[in-house]
Amino acid sequence: MRIETEPKLDFKDVLIRPKRSTLSSRSAVDINRGFRFLHTGRDWSGFPLIAANMDVTGTIPMARALAGVGAMVALHKYYPAEHLVAFFREEASRNTFYTIGTNEADWEKFAHVKRQVPVPMICLDVANGYTERFVEMVAQAREQNPDAVIMAGNVVTGDMTEALLLAGADIVKVGIGPGSVCTTRKMTGVGYPQLSAVIECADAAHGLKGQVCADGGCTVPGDITKAYGGGADFVMLGGMLAGHDECEGEIRTETRDGREVPVSMVFYGMSSDTAMNKYAGGVAKYRASEGKTVEVPYRGPVEATLQEIMGGVRSMMTYIGATRLKEVPKRTTFVMVGAQLNTVFGG
Ligand code: 5GP
């Protein structure tokens, strides 16, 4: 047994210190970024935000809405092949990841779709990206899809970030346990504070000219800005995008003044009982559910939430004097707050 004593940080443990700058207006900043991907050499530019490949948020309507502001979606795995073929003919699919898990059926469906339409970006998604089998899966996906951008995860440490990039990933997805409907930390005791995970994985990835996507744990726009400040190239959101019209979730209503009005939406982890009952015919005997089911407020079209997020990012950039999103990590100084100070200084 070993204990690491260096403090590790979550978003809530820090704030971004303002810096003197010549910027006077939020409109003077550019929240888009351009990337050239490690293995494909392909270029992409836009607002590097990705809706999570959960069945409520990783939807085709969400992909269309997010593409409208230059952002992205990782589609959930449960669309029938015909829907995917039709969608990957649309312009919005240029900003969309096709998600594949570990099971055979996912790969067969992918092969079927790929025979009919080009699939430019793939998300290889497993709960635990530390297995040898997953590294082999990434290598195989790279071999079979030399021109596709591959995002793979999840991991939380630099060594495994490097391993996935070397195996063929362009973007490594970072986060074990921080998700809003995730119970992995409670059920297994395993996890890593998300901001530190992002900082450490980004450092490892950038050394190899790869990218990272901070996945999970953002609850307010300020968490997204902290992820960018810590070096995240992309940020993935589940809970913050749930509850909108573009989601595919069960809406709960209430009667008000004799009318039925939507008030909330059911949202759940992809390894929750709810998801496993829906897609896998129940929770297998050898495993426990590692996700929970909640109700999030109904919030109408996603457009207003996106504007709020983009407004928060722009404002953060004016506070620290960053003209372009790319400059944000260089201009970011985090100050530790609250509990972490007690840990470090024994307060
Ligand atoms: P959020 O933005 O809601 O905080 O986090 C979204 C992320 O939580 C997803 O992209 C995914 O990585 C993770 N996630 C989704 N469902 C589950 C689950 O059932 N269990 C765990 N451990 N993580 C989940």
Side-chain angles (χ1 to χ4, degrees):
M1 193 276 293
R2 222 166 71 86
I3 300 180
E4 278 188 25
T5 52
E6 193 191 324
K8 300 291 177 189
L9 305 168
D10 261 317
F11 297 128
K12 68 173 181 358
D13 300 321
V14 301
L15 288 168
I16 300 170
R17 200 183 76 189
K19 287 212 163 89
R20 285 177 76 159
S21 95
T22 52
L23 287 170
S24 55
S25 158
R26 292 175 197 192
S27 59
V29 304
D30 182 3
I31 61 169
N32 289 326
R33 275 199 74 172
F35 294 105
R36 171 153 297 177
F37 295 108
L38 174 62
H39 293 281
T40 62
R42 186 195 279 264
D43 292 323
W44 179 88
S45 66
F47 179 44
L49 189 84
I50 311 176
N53 49 303
M54 301 168 76
D55 65 350
V56 170
T57 56
T59 68
I60 288 175
M62 187 67 83
R64 293 183 186 126
L66 265 61
V69 297
M72 308 167 109
V73 168
L75 289 181
H76 67 70
K77 298 190 307 182
Y78 306 103
Y79 280 115
E82 317 82 77
H83 291 206
L84 292 164
V85 169
F87 174 71
F88 276 94
R89 295 204 166 103
E90 290 182 27
E91 184 70 18
S93 71
R94 288 163 173 248
N95 273 14
T96 305
F97 289 87
Y98 182 116
T99 302
I100 311 173
T102 41
N103 72 46
E104 254 335 281
D106 285 356
W107 285 93
E108 279 163 23
K109 184 166 74 176
F110 176 58
H112 177 71
V113 171
K114 213 176 60 163
R115 273 196 293 275
Q116 299 173 72
V117 279
V119 177
M121 297 197 284
I122 306 169
C123 171
L124 299 177
D125 189 48
V126 294
N128 173 8
Y130 281 78
T131 63
E132 252 172 56
R133 175 157 147 59
F134 185 60
V135 179
E136 282 160 18
M137 183 171 131
V138 172
Q140 187 192 335
R142 170 53 66 211
E143 200 182 305
Q144 293 172 359
N145 302 278
D147 299 327
V149 175
I150 297 179
M151 174 161 71
N154 282 16
V155 300
V156 285
T157 51
D159 57 337
M160 214 53 210
T161 301
E162 288 170 357
L164 294 181
L165 290 171
L166 294 172
D170 297 292
I171 308 167
V172 173
K173 204 145 70 73
V174 176
I176 293 185
S180 59
V181 281
C182 163
T183 56
T184 295
R185 289 176 182 176
K186 281 193 180 135
M187 288 301 295
T188 67
V190 174
Y192 209 92
Q194 180 67 351
L195 179 63
S196 287
V198 169
I199 293 170
E200 292 167 28
C201 294
D203 187 49
H206 296 161
L208 293 177
K209 298 204 178 332
Q211 274 102 33
V212 293
C213 172
D215 175 19
C218 291
T219 56
V220 287
D223 293 341
I224 301 172
T225 67
K226 289 172 190 175
Y228 289 135
D233 302 288
F234 298 86
V235 176
M236 179 171 269
L237 303 178
M240 280 186 74
L241 296 178
H244 294 99
D245 289 341
E246 293 77 2
C247 295
E248 285 165 10
E250 185 194 334
I251 291 181
R252 300 265 159 93
T253 59
E254 250 175 41
T255 314
R256 288 188 193 153
D257 301 327
R259 283 191 322 130
E260 284 293 300
V261 291
V263 287
S264 64
M265 183 178 283
V266 181
F267 180 57
Y268 42 85
M270 295 316 294
S271 355
S272 64
D273 294 0
T274 309
M276 286 198 267
N277 287 334
K278 195 165 170 186
Y279 299 113
V283 182
K285 278 211 184 68
Y286 59 88
R287 61 181 292 183
S289 132
E290 284 179 28
K292 62 182 174 186
T293 303
V294 299
E295 273 184 46
V296 295
Y298 168 73
R299 292 190 282 169
V302 75
E303 171 72 24
T305 302
L306 291 175
Q307 291 306 332
E308 204 173 84
I309 292 171
M310 293 191 293
V313 175
R314 282 194 195 98
S315 187
M316 171 274 289
M317 290 170 69
T318 58
Y319 272 116
I320 64 167
T323 318
R324 296 184 306 144
L325 192 54
K326 188 181 175 190
E327 295 162 19
V328 165
K330 266 185 280 175
R331 305 272 313 168
T332 295
T333 303
F334 288 121
V335 287
M336 289 203 280
V337 292
Q340 279 298 328
L341 284 178
N342 294 340
T343 317
V344 179
F345 299 112

